[in-house]
Amino acid sequence: ISPGDFIPLAEQTGLILPLGQYVLQTACEQLQRWSQHESTAHLTIAVNVSARQFRQPDFVAQVLQTLQAHQADPRKLKLELTESLLIGDIEDTITRMGQLKREGVGFALDDFGTGYSSLSYLKRLPLEQIKIDQSFVRDVLTDPNDAAIVRTIFALAKSLDLQVVAEGVETGGQLTF
């Protein structure tokens, strides 16, 4: 089942909350295991967080408790948020992100360019990374508009000192681009 089918159903039924906690717990357990071996101690892990999960009143405490319970380094955890999460109370979003950022947790903005992008959010949110949606990457070699969008996102990210991940790179040509 593709995430595009599964995640909306989990959101609608409320199962996204226990599922999200399970994924976070599993990620923290993995970080702790990796930290025990020199060859994997440098690895990080990213976890997608749903808007519903992020908006839970105890979300920040849950993340910090889970990290602590598994003795996982918060600097090795990156939470990926989608642009849809930015709809609503942006000040609350910034506050929550700031609380976790101060503890070392990193943030990425997932599927950048597909939602309700606001450049003002990019300068206000404590982000480290933006992820270019695969819908732009897929045709980057054949569609001049997609190529222009990807170049613009890279230039914007560079000027804001953000890392960029291009999702869906599947060919050497896309990688070279």
Side-chain angles (χ1 to χ4, degrees):
I1 301 172
S2 81
D5 295 332
F6 177 77
I7 298 298
L9 182 59
E11 288 272 4
Q12 291 170 6
T13 62
L15 289 174
I16 198 72
L17 297 176
L19 178 62
Q21 182 57 33
Y22 172 79
V23 170
L24 179 64
Q25 185 171 347
T26 303
C28 289
E29 288 171 356
Q30 185 63 57
L31 284 173
Q32 203 287 323
R33 280 194 298 274
W34 284 341
S35 74
Q36 302 302 306
H37 304 282
E38 187 177 326
S39 63
T40 56
H42 68 283
L43 295 177
T44 62
I45 198 162
V47 174
N48 289 79
V49 175
S50 77
R52 187 169 183 176
Q53 183 182 7
F54 186 85
R55 299 254 180 261
Q56 292 299 300
D58 63 343
F59 176 74
V60 171
Q62 250 184 15
V63 171
L64 296 176
Q65 288 168 359
T66 304
L67 283 161
Q68 185 177 26
H70 297 287
Q71 299 175 342
D73 183 348
R75 297 169 299 175
K76 305 286 185 186
L77 177 66
K78 183 173 294 174
L79 300 180
E80 294 187 3
L81 312 174
T82 60
E83 292 180 26
S84 63
L85 187 127
L86 304 178
I87 300 170
D89 189 348
I90 189 66
E91 297 306 322
D92 180 60
T93 299
I94 292 168
T95 299
R96 288 170 185 249
M97 289 176 74
Q99 290 169 333
L100 290 166
K101 182 83 170 175
R102 283 188 291 281
E103 299 297 325
V105 176
F107 288 94
L109 188 57
D110 199 13
D111 300 333
F112 184 74
T114 61
Y116 306 94
S117 300
S118 170
L119 299 181
S120 67
Y121 293 156
L122 284 183
K123 74 177 191 175
R124 295 185 63 207
L125 295 172
L127 296 169
E128 296 172 355
Q129 184 181 81
I130 55 176
K131 297 178 73 178
I132 302 173
D133 188 71
Q134 65 182 336
S135 64
F136 300 117
V137 174
R138 185 179 306 116
D139 296 324
V140 74
L141 300 175
T142 58
D143 185 334
N145 291 328
D146 284 345
I149 289 168
V150 170
R151 281 189 193 100
T152 301
I153 292 171
F154 268 101
L156 176 64
K158 183 177 180 181
S159 69
L160 295 172
D161 197 29
L162 295 171
Q163 299 169 353
V164 178
V165 171
E167 295 183 313
V169 173
E170 296 179 353
T171 69
Q174 291 168 331
L175 177 61
T176 300
F177 180 89

